[in-house]
């Protein structure tokens, strides 16, 4: 159904993915996201399928998705997104008019991080987006720091092995085995 994901996603810091089939809701969500501090790029889609195709090639730091959409509901979208490399830990906010607990449970089981009820309270939406975006950025920074630390450790291990190989021949020559006279040669 979807193209194979590429080995590495195109990553642009501050990218937020907004998926909602209703133009008005999509515009409101986009406006709220654009009011976040710092550089933010918003990618909007009316069709969930188009958003999934985009996500196979691009990374987002936050996703807002409507629950009720004609081609693919929000729960199925979350399942598809979570299956993509690079989207396992991306925060996803499910936006819904439904107050049904079963909808929430299904979305949480699929991997939704948070919920917003329509009509959107822009202040609440802004706060949730800001908090989740901050957490995601901290997570990405920690992953990058861990990667650099692992690379440094590998380099240090390589250097230590090289030094051992340089030192070992000198040590072997200095400690040549000597015959011991234990008094057994009579």
């Amino acid at each position: 159904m979807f193209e194979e994901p590429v080995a590495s996603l195109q990553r642009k810091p501050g990218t937020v993915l907004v998926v909602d089939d209703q133009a008005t809701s999509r515009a409101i969500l986009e406006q709220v996201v654009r009011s976040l501090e710092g550089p933010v790029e918003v990618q909007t889609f009316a069709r969930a399928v188009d958003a999934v195709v985009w996500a196979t090639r691009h990374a987002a730091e936050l996703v807002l998705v409507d629950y009720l959409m004609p081609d693919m509901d929000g729960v199925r979208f979350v399942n598809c997104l979570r299956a993509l490399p690079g989207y396992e830990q991306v925060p996803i906010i499910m936006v819904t008019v439904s107050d049904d607990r079963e909808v929430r449970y299904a979305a949480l089981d699929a991997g939704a991080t948070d919920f917003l009820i329509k009509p959107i309270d822009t202040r609440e939406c802004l706060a949730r987006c800001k908090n989740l975006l901050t957490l995601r950025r901290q997570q990405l920074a920690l992953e990058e720091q861990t990667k650099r630390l692992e690379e440094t450790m590998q380099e240090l291990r390589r250097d230590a092995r090289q030094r051992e190989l340089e030192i070992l021949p000198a040590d072997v020559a200095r400690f040549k085995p000597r015959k011991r006279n234990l008094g057994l040669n009579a």
Side-chain angles (χ1 to χ4, degrees):
M1 177 177 180
F2 303 110
E3 296 177 33
E4 284 295 314
V6 292
S8 124
L9 297 175
Q10 293 178 11
R11 184 173 303 278
K12 222 177 198 182
T15 301
V16 178
L17 179 60
V18 175
V19 186
D20 195 319
D21 62 311
Q22 296 179 354
T24 304
S25 295
R26 201 169 51 250
I28 290 169
L29 290 171
E30 181 178 4
Q31 182 181 3
V32 170
V33 170
R34 287 195 187 283
S35 70
L36 289 166
E37 292 177 13
V40 176
E41 181 174 316
V42 184
Q43 292 294 322
T44 62
F45 293 91
R47 296 182 57 228
V49 172
D50 296 337
V52 172
V53 170
W54 178 89
T56 62
R57 290 194 162 42
H58 303 87
E61 292 183 352
L62 176 65
V63 178
L64 290 96
V65 60
D66 185 29
Y67 170 68
L68 290 172
M69 294 183 288
D71 60 340
M72 177 189 298
D73 71 25
V75 172
R76 188 160 161 235
F77 172 80
V78 172
N79 277 318
C80 288
L81 210 58
R82 288 291 186 222
L84 294 176
Y87 278 90
E88 301 87 353
Q89 301 296 321
V90 173
I92 301 173
I93 299 175
M94 180 76 65
V95 182
T96 179
V97 294
S98 176
D99 216 7
D100 184 3
R101 287 200 181 277
E102 292 305 315
V103 168
R104 288 178 179 249
Y105 296 152
L108 287 169
D109 289 342
T113 311
D114 205 350
F115 291 91
L116 284 171
I117 302 295
K118 286 183 180 182
I120 296 296
D121 176 331
T122 56
R123 187 171 177 187
E124 177 185 16
C125 182
L126 183 63
R128 289 178 189 265
C129 288
K130 179 183 173 190
N131 292 341
L132 289 172
L133 203 49
T134 298
L135 288 172
R136 179 62 179 158
R137 288 173 176 166
Q138 289 171 344
Q139 180 185 34
L140 290 171
L142 187 58
E143 287 173 4
E144 183 60 33
Q145 189 175 16
T146 300
K147 181 181 171 187
R148 283 194 310 262
L149 184 58
E150 287 172 354
E151 289 169 354
T152 300
M153 290 300 295
Q154 286 178 351
E155 188 177 316
L156 289 172
R157 284 187 199 108
R158 251 190 328 269
D159 290 350
R161 273 184 255 145
Q162 183 61 36
R163 279 192 224 109
E164 286 174 355
L165 292 174
E166 292 169 358
I167 294 171
L168 192 59
D171 285 349
V172 169
R174 223 174 36 192
F175 296 107
K176 285 187 179 178
R178 299 180 187 149
K179 286 190 179 180
R180 289 183 163 178
N181 187 353
L182 299 176
L184 299 174
N185 299 352

